[in-house]
Amino acid sequence: MSDSILKQDIIDELDFEPSIDAADIGVAVDDGIVTLTGHVPTYAQKVKVEDVVRNVKGVKAIAQEMEVRPFGTHKTADDEIAKRAVNTIAWHTSIPGGAVQISVQSGWIKLTGKVEWQYQKSAAEDAVRHLAGVIGVTNQIEIKPLPSTHDIKQRIENALKRNAELEAQEIKVNVLGNGAVRLEGRVHAWSERRAAERAAWSAAGVKTVEDRITIG
């Protein structure tokens, strides 16, 4: 696929997505690597744009250079954002009470604390990204490693085998210790690579995933 065709496919996909206002988004493509520029009104929309682009066939990587520019001149105060974030996380049943700490500076939320599962870390970020006034989220929540290296490797490999999207024999799982996992191998599409990442993150105790899987 040529870069010009891929660029048009991305533009068409962004226009097709009803939750995105693509009028102020710029798209450039160089050898399958996509650079996104311009601005969007919310951080949630910025994340959504990247998700949409990532799922377009032919995209190899994304350079995210978009800004978040809220509508109007009024900005939500940091203490108000922090109060809403605390309440939102407190009501979220997936997140253990008291596990996550929140700080806000100039509209940017920083999450810290410790949880046992990756889905709990992701849930905390998902809970606050849609709040008014948020321009970015830094998720520094730690995951407590629980199982042994062997158990983590076995659980990931089993998850890969169960996934209909993947040819599990093409993917090698290396558990490096302290909850770090490295994935290597080759898949046919970005969606397969993401499926492999999700399988790795699904294992309890995984703190980081280094994805070296190539597409082609």
Side-chain angles (χ1 to χ4, degrees):
M1 181 184 296
S2 69
D3 286 342
S4 60
I5 293 176
L6 178 56
K7 178 179 178 179
Q8 190 58 54
D9 284 350
I10 292 169
I11 292 172
D12 291 344
E13 193 66 20
L14 290 173
D15 287 337
F16 182 73
E17 171 55 51
S19 65
I20 294 173
D21 179 2
D24 297 308
I25 300 173
V27 179
V29 181
D30 183 11
D31 194 25
I33 298 174
V34 180
T35 300
L36 300 172
T37 56
H39 58 89
V40 289
T42 66
Y43 176 68
Q45 193 167 133
K46 179 179 179 179
V47 174
K48 182 64 177 180
V49 168
E50 187 170 347
D51 286 344
V52 168
V53 173
R54 185 180 289 115
N55 287 323
V56 175
K57 185 178 180 180
V59 173
K60 296 179 181 177
I62 298 173
Q64 173 63 276
E65 298 180 4
M66 291 189 301
E67 297 179 12
V68 176
R69 297 182 188 175
F71 288 126
T73 56
H74 175 72
K75 291 186 177 181
T76 307
D78 286 346
D79 60 342
E80 184 62 28
I81 295 174
K83 186 186 301 181
R84 293 174 184 174
V86 168
N87 291 337
T88 300
I89 287 180
W91 280 98
H92 204 297
T93 56
S94 298
I95 306 167
V100 177
Q101 289 77 53
I102 300 165
S103 62
V104 184
Q105 183 173 6
S106 301
W108 199 286
I109 295 179
K110 180 179 178 181
L111 302 175
T112 55
K114 291 184 178 181
V115 294
E116 294 184 353
W117 297 85
Q118 169 63 23
Y119 81 86
Q120 295 170 328
K121 177 177 179 176
S122 297
E125 183 172 342
D126 291 342
V128 301
R129 69 167 53 148
H130 294 279
L131 296 176
V134 174
I135 65 169
V137 179
T138 300
N139 192 343
Q140 295 184 346
I141 298 172
E142 296 181 30
I143 299 172
K144 308 172 192 174
L146 297 177
S148 68
T149 296
H150 173 75
D151 286 342
I152 293 175
K153 179 179 175 68
Q154 192 66 52
R155 290 181 185 183
I156 295 173
E157 289 177 343
N158 290 340
L160 292 173
K161 292 175 183 177
R162 290 193 301 269
N163 196 310
E165 294 183 66
L166 298 170
E167 296 180 18
Q169 66 271 20
E170 299 295 329
I171 300 173
K172 183 178 180 182
V173 179
N174 295 300
V175 182
L176 308 177
N178 196 30
V181 173
R182 178 187 295 152
L183 300 176
E184 297 176 302
R186 182 181 295 273
V187 294
H188 300 296
W190 191 298
S191 60
E192 296 177 51
R193 182 179 179 185
R194 294 194 73 195
E197 285 186 17
R198 288 195 300 271
W201 280 120
S202 68
V206 174
K207 297 176 67 176
T208 61
V209 175
E210 180 185 355
D211 190 346
R212 294 188 179 182
I213 298 172
T214 58
I215 301 171

